[in-house]
Amino acid sequence: MNETSPAYSTARKWATFALCGLVIMVPALDLTALNQAVPHLTADLGPSATQILWIADAYGFALAGLLITMGGIGDRIGHKRLLLIGAGLFGITSALTAYAWTAEVLIAARFLLGIAGATLMPSALSLIRRVFTEPKERTMAVGIFSGIGGLAVGLGPVLGGALLDHFWWGSVFLINVPIMMVILVAGFAVLPAGRGTRPGRLDLLSVPLSIAGLIGLVYAIKEVAASGAVHADALVAAAIGAASLAAFGLRQVRIDDPLIDVRLFRRMAFSGSVATNMFAMFALVAQSLIFSLYFQLVLGWSPLQSGLAGLPGALGAMVGGAALAPPLIGLVGRARVVAAGLALGAVAYALLAQVGTDTGYLVMVGPIVLSGIGMGMVMTVTADTVLATVPRERTGAASAISETGMELGGSLGMAILGSVLNAVYRDSVQVPAGLPAAAEHAARDSVSGAAQVAAELPGRLAAEVTGAAGEAFADGMNAALLCSSVLAAVVGVFALIALRNVPKVIPDTSEDAAVPAAETVPAAAG
């Protein structure tokens, strides 16, 4: 049985969608809840500073390195099978994470969680593409799916804060287990069955090349973001990553059964959507992190309050993706919808760049919602275009490429915009006189360092330190948001050009379908 697209009942389609939406919520909830659990697990397990970094990064490294491999495996063995295997592994490793008895066990469990997570997103998107064959219905489904992911990121701190108020730190991971059990049981009955659509063996040399290439680049980016400077180890990691990816690309061209078909990048609709998505995530992830720090470290809000403050943006993303993007595509076309979404994002970031320490939250809600609506429109159209412009036999690999681009874009955003914020902060912070040298250095280094210093000072001096740090952080935040605004505007122009010939309605295609001339670029450019 080939994994083609027969007609499915409406109930079967939306039951499949509901399970796929549940699948994508869990990793997003898990990732954001971890940030809140770190202080609690640190007190319990006593990890070193290096181990704390690995606890935070092990999941992301495994995820980024294996997305492309898992997309290719799904195309070969069937996406239902891969998703159920991944759901089972995610549930088991979530339990291991919750009851980890040492920092080393926790790091290993987080790495295994990343491996399981890499199976879920490409499989879920491929199954949605399989059951929703009517173009407008598919676009609406992808829009709701994207909105669910954004909503989960906003709900993560809320759910994590509520659990940590009543239970131990492992509860934020243990909650994944019953959810994955539901997915396993219901998935066997509901998800469309089928063997892989791409015959041929998995090229065993391509797998380590792709893993080494992507992990090398992500590691280098994270090292630069953490230190604020380019060190030798980051350069070595970047060189290894670039060389591995170059070798990977050459091998894909020369072998009969490539892990990914690099010819996909000759389709302007595909490559333009992937690039747009990557740079949209560049701005979006950094903005989310910056405001989380602002609410908690500058305004002194709890993690739960901070999570609730971010929910309007997540709800806006769902509205933009599910309610606005599908009808707008039919009215003005895909390129204009993406450009309009990025324009909304640019305006919202420019407005948020005026925020100061005395700005009320109600003043910020409007631009936060506006940015969510704009980015929801962008993510929906680009994700749907990626799925629709490749043969259905290659949706796993195509989804994995898009997700990998988003991972790289998010890492770059945190590195570059975080560096902008830190540079402005260190240049503008005015630490009051009379502090010990070590305390002064910590306060000048970061707003979190200033908060730790202030906790050990007398009331008046503590207020001066936190006030100065808050003003400097707001200056850095404003500079980073202005960079995001400019970037969103530039990417909007790029999308308007790159996607200008993509049709409003993209029919379902198979491997044998020819690529329309208007959607291709010369081989050299690809």
Side-chain angles (χ1 to χ4, degrees):
M1 177 180 176
N2 213 19
E3 204 169 359
T4 55
S5 297
Y8 294 96
S9 68
T10 300
R12 182 77 178 276
K13 288 179 183 178
W14 289 104
T16 297
F17 176 85
L19 282 178
C20 290
L22 195 58
V23 163
I24 194 56
M25 283 192 73
V26 174
L29 289 169
D30 177 270
L31 199 58
T32 51
L34 171 68
N35 296 330
Q36 294 177 294
V38 166
H40 301 269
L41 65 87
T42 299
D44 188 18
L45 301 179
S48 65
T50 302
Q51 286 175 326
I52 291 173
L53 291 176
W54 276 107
I55 289 169
D57 291 339
Y59 180 93
F61 284 147
L63 182 72
L66 286 166
L67 274 170
I68 288 177
T69 297
M70 293 304 179
I73 290 175
D75 287 340
R76 287 167 171 80
I77 71 170
H79 293 289
K80 174 181 179 177
R81 182 181 303 174
L82 183 63
L83 186 144
L84 294 178
I85 292 171
L89 179 60
F90 203 98
I92 293 169
T93 51
S94 292
L96 177 62
T97 303
Y99 291 104
W101 55 95
T102 66
E104 291 81 5
V105 172
L106 182 57
I107 292 168
R110 294 292 299 170
F111 190 84
L112 291 174
L113 271 178
I115 295 174
T119 69
L120 299 179
M121 185 68 172
S123 298
L125 274 173
S126 296
L127 289 168
I128 288 174
R129 161 72 186 275
R130 184 180 176 194
V131 298
F132 291 97
T133 55
E134 198 279 319
K136 292 184 179 179
E137 195 177 36
R138 183 198 63 231
T139 302
M140 182 177 67
V142 171
I144 300 173
F145 185 79
S146 301
I148 289 172
L151 186 62
V153 172
L155 285 173
V158 179
L159 179 62
L163 288 171
L164 291 170
D165 281 346
H166 297 91
F167 305 102
W168 96 113
W169 61 265
S171 62
V172 301
F173 306 111
L174 199 61
I175 193 70
N176 299 334
V177 177
I179 297 175
M180 286 303 171
M181 288 179 65
V182 170
I183 291 170
L184 278 172
V185 174
F188 276 111
V190 171
L191 297 178
R195 293 190 295 273
T197 56
R198 289 180 59 193
R201 297 191 310 175
L202 191 70
D203 181 50
L204 296 181
L205 183 56
S206 295
V207 172
L209 285 174
S210 69
I211 292 173
L214 292 168
I215 289 181
L217 288 183
V218 172
Y219 179 82
I221 293 169
K222 286 181 176 290
E223 279 294 299
V224 172
S227 63
V230 179
H231 296 297
D233 54 350
L235 290 174
V236 171
I240 292 173
S244 298
L245 285 180
F248 173 78
L250 288 173
R251 184 162 181 80
Q252 302 315 291
V253 174
R254 294 174 180 175
I255 60 177
D256 294 332
D257 294 311
L259 193 59
I260 62 170
D261 186 356
V262 294
R263 292 174 300 175
L264 292 175
F265 289 99
R266 293 184 62 191
R267 305 184 180 198
M268 181 56 82
F270 179 83
S271 55
S273 295
V274 170
T276 301
N277 230 358
M278 183 175 74
F279 287 108
M281 285 299 295
F282 180 104
L284 186 61
V285 169
Q287 178 227 335
S288 300
L289 177 64
I290 287 169
F291 271 106
S292 177
L293 293 172
Y294 175 77
F295 289 139
Q296 294 185 58
L297 297 180
V298 176
L299 300 186
W301 293 3
S302 69
L304 180 59
Q305 289 174 309
S306 177
L308 290 171
L311 278 181
L315 293 172
M318 182 167 280
V319 171
L324 296 181
L328 285 175
I329 289 174
L331 289 174
V332 300
R334 292 172 180 264
R336 290 187 178 91
V337 174
V338 173
L342 287 163
L344 288 177
V347 171
Y349 295 147
L351 292 173
L352 289 169
Q354 312 307 312
V355 167
T357 55
D358 57 349
T359 303
Y361 174 70
L362 292 179
V363 176
M364 301 169 62
V365 169
I368 288 174
V369 172
L370 192 65
S371 70
I373 291 172
M375 290 304 168
M377 292 165 59
V378 174
M379 298 299 179
T380 294
V381 178
T382 53
D384 181 64
T385 305
V386 165
L387 285 178
T389 53
V390 301
R392 70 174 73 94
E393 295 85 357
R394 298 183 181 274
T395 52
S399 301
I401 292 169
S402 179
E403 285 298 308
T404 302
M406 291 171 68
E407 286 290 323
L408 290 174
S411 297
L412 279 170
M414 292 175 67
I416 296 175
L417 296 180
S419 297
V420 170
L421 188 155
N422 288 334
V424 174
Y425 173 87
R426 290 164 185 163
D427 185 62
S428 61
V429 66
Q430 301 292 325
V431 178
L435 291 180
E440 182 178 350
H441 175 76
R444 289 186 181 279
D445 185 61
S446 67
V447 68
S448 58
Q452 292 174 354
V453 168
E456 300 176 358
L457 294 175
R460 185 182 62 81
L461 191 56
E464 291 180 5
V465 170
T466 54
E471 293 289 345
F473 185 88
D475 291 341
M477 180 179 72
N478 293 342
L481 287 168
L482 282 176
C483 291
S484 295
S485 178
V486 173
L487 178 67
V490 171
V491 176
V493 175
F494 165 80
L496 198 60
I497 297 170
L499 305 179
R500 67 188 184 281
N501 292 325
V502 181
K504 297 177 181 178
V505 178
I506 305 175
D508 195 52
T509 59
S510 66
E511 189 75 76
D512 299 328
V515 183
E519 294 182 37
T520 61
V521 293

